[in-house]
Amino acid sequence: MKVLVIGGGAREHALCRSLSLDPDVTALYCAPGNAGIAEVAELHPVDPLDGPAVARLATVLGAELVVVGPEAPLVAGVADQVRAAGIPCFGPSGAAAQLEGSKAFAKDVMAGAGVPTARSYVCTTPEEIDEALDAFGAPYVVKDDGLAAGKGVVVTSDLEQAREHALACGRVVIEEYLDGPEVSLFAITDGETVVPLRPAQDFKRALDGDEGPNTGGMGAYSPLPWADPKLVDEVMDTVLQPTVDEMRRRGTPFSGLLYAGLAITSRGVRVIEFNARFGDPETQVVLARLKTPLAGVLLASANGTLDTLPPLKWRDDAAVTVVVASHNYPGTPRTGDPIEGLDEVAAEDTPHAYVLHAGTKRDGDAIVSAGGRVLSVTATGQDLAEARERAYRAVSRIRLEGSQHRTDIARAAAEG
């Protein structure tokens, strides 16, 4: 099977790595890719938001499956263009991707499906914003209605900060604060059948102890030893299957990856948000534990045949990923700094630890930083403590001037 992956971040590197290990994949392409993905896939230049260009590239390459990684191309309808060219595509239509593209749309779908979530108001005027903030009180949860690369949410007890963010968003969703730990659960669906993956937990705040501003994610781990063993079944019954059924009922069937961000509150499981694609950095740890070859599962989603697949197989290993970010992230990151030590990780830590590239590019013989989240160092082990030790040992070998990373990823879970 010839597979084309669209995107160029750590999520796409994780996907390409898994696909490169699949014996059914005879050729692997990525567009535009990055310096790390180039080691496992043939790179091609393309604008991921240009649907016709993506479809033409897939046709020229003879791709038998296209996997659209990032949210912006999905919301822009790139998957529609690929399917219109007669090529199976893993990823929802532009209409269905509004589950991530619009927080207000997602809330409406959840209401129709009876999915438990936070009470909320959709606001478009300063008066509505003030009324909503007053109704819920602190801590305030303010979400930009549209895509914001994981940084459109402000959770704060500072009323002025909350109001300032809300006013800057245009259309905004203000909702009640949900207590309790957060969990990410992915599911692959073809619009009818829903196949859950293993849950993970990510770390959104920039600094140790969940301090600092929100980011796209600074690390993740799986499994969750503290979680209820029945959690996945409960979320399937109350969240994932009802949402897929509601989308189909509305005439906008959702196929691809449905990502539920959940809060395990004192009143039960509540949905924080939906995403329409694999999440970063959770993908890194979930795919590290997946034993079933990936390509056939993604193709079954694209072709509507998920119900014919045997149950997924999983490794017992734990997985931890730590994000190495550039100086000043998540503000305006510094780029162009050389990255050293990657060869040392490959020589000393493989196969238990490896580096997935996000914001990197090749500059002559050097690999340099080219974004905010630069690398994602992923490791596996018999338990979280071993996986965590291996991940941080690999991180210690990497040298990037001014870089930053959290030192507490999976620490609490590993310590019980």
Side-chain angles (χ1 to χ4, degrees):
M1 185 193 316
K2 297 180 178 180
V3 182
L4 170 62
V5 176
I6 302 301
R11 163 186 50 228
E12 287 75 40
H13 195 173
L15 287 165
C16 285
R17 183 180 184 275
S18 291
L19 290 165
S20 72
L21 300 173
D22 188 330
D24 289 335
V25 175
T26 56
L28 182 59
Y29 312 101
C30 188
N34 62 39
I37 295 174
E39 297 175 6
V40 295
E42 182 180 298
L43 302 191
H44 291 267
V46 77
D47 178 357
L49 293 170
D50 188 339
V54 171
R56 283 194 300 272
L57 176 62
T59 301
V60 168
L61 293 174
E64 296 159 281
L65 173 66
V66 175
V67 180
V68 182
E71 60 271 28
L74 289 169
V75 172
V78 169
D80 300 280
Q81 297 280 346
V82 173
R83 279 190 277 266
I87 301 170
C89 186
F90 180 81
S93 66
Q98 287 302 308
L99 264 183
E100 178 169 4
S102 169
K103 305 289 192 303
F105 176 80
K107 287 288 188 181
D108 188 60
V109 170
M110 283 187 267
V115 169
T117 186
R119 294 178 297 121
S120 63
Y121 294 100
V122 180
C123 306
T124 56
T125 68
E127 292 76 19
E128 290 174 344
I129 288 169
D130 289 339
E131 289 177 11
L133 292 172
D134 183 61
F136 288 128
Y140 306 100
V141 181
V142 183
K143 299 181 176 181
D144 192 330
D145 180 57
L147 295 179
K151 297 187 282 290
V153 179
V154 165
V155 181
T156 179
S157 295
D158 185 326
L159 176 59
E160 282 309 307
Q161 183 185 5
R163 190 171 189 274
E164 182 181 348
H165 181 67
L167 291 171
C169 289
R171 192 180 196 213
V172 66
V173 174
I174 297 174
E175 61 184 38
E176 67 175 328
Y177 176 76
L178 297 175
D179 63 339
E182 296 183 12
V183 173
S184 300
L185 183 60
F186 302 163
I188 293 174
T189 177
D190 57 12
E192 293 192 22
T193 301
V194 182
V195 178
L197 305 186
R198 291 293 167 89
Q201 185 174 58
D202 76 331
F203 295 75
K204 291 294 187 190
R205 299 285 187 169
L207 306 176
D208 284 6
D210 290 327
E211 300 291 333
N214 260 351
T215 71
M218 296 299 291
Y221 70 93
S222 179
L224 313 182
W226 49 267
D228 188 329
K230 298 178 182 177
L231 175 65
V232 173
D233 290 339
E234 179 185 349
V235 175
M236 271 289 293
D237 292 343
T238 63
V239 175
L240 297 170
Q241 191 71 57
T243 299
V244 169
D245 293 343
E246 174 68 10
M247 291 293 286
R248 189 174 66 253
R249 186 188 69 77
R250 290 172 176 236
T252 51
F254 187 102
S255 71
L257 195 289
L258 179 58
Y259 165 136
L262 310 164
I264 313 302
T265 78
S266 55
R267 294 174 292 148
V269 175
R270 297 289 186 272
V271 175
I272 301 169
E273 64 176 355
F274 283 130
N275 289 339
R277 39 73 196 182
F278 279 102
D280 177 2
E282 300 97 320
T283 300
Q284 289 87 301
V285 293
V286 173
L287 291 186
R289 301 186 61 218
L290 179 63
K291 201 171 182 179
T292 299
L294 184 61
V297 182
L298 303 187
L299 183 62
S301 166
N303 286 337
T305 57
L306 271 179
D307 62 333
T308 67
L309 293 187
L312 298 181
K313 294 181 180 179
W314 296 90
R315 297 181 178 89
D316 292 332
D317 288 355
V320 172
T321 194
V322 179
V323 171
V324 178
S326 58
H327 177 73
N328 201 43
Y329 178 78
T332 303
R334 192 174 76 199
T335 59
D337 291 314
I339 304 166
E340 299 177 335
L342 298 176
D343 291 343
E344 295 171 34
V345 175
E348 301 293 336
D349 300 288
T350 304
H352 300 300
Y354 49 88
V355 178
L356 299 168
H357 291 233
T360 69
K361 68 177 182 180
R362 185 166 288 281
D363 184 7
D365 292 334
I367 294 176
V368 302
S369 61
R373 290 187 297 167
V374 181
L375 303 167
S376 184
V377 181
T378 303
T380 57
Q382 291 185 347
D383 53 27
L384 285 175
E386 185 176 52
R388 188 173 182 277
E389 189 274 329
R390 287 171 171 173
Y392 278 106
R393 185 171 62 210
V395 168
S396 72
R397 301 188 198 278
I398 296 170
R399 298 176 294 281
L400 172 61
E401 186 177 349
S403 67
Q404 56 179 313
H405 65 271
R406 283 184 58 161
T407 66
D408 63 347
I409 303 301
R411 178 192 289 160
E415 293 175 353

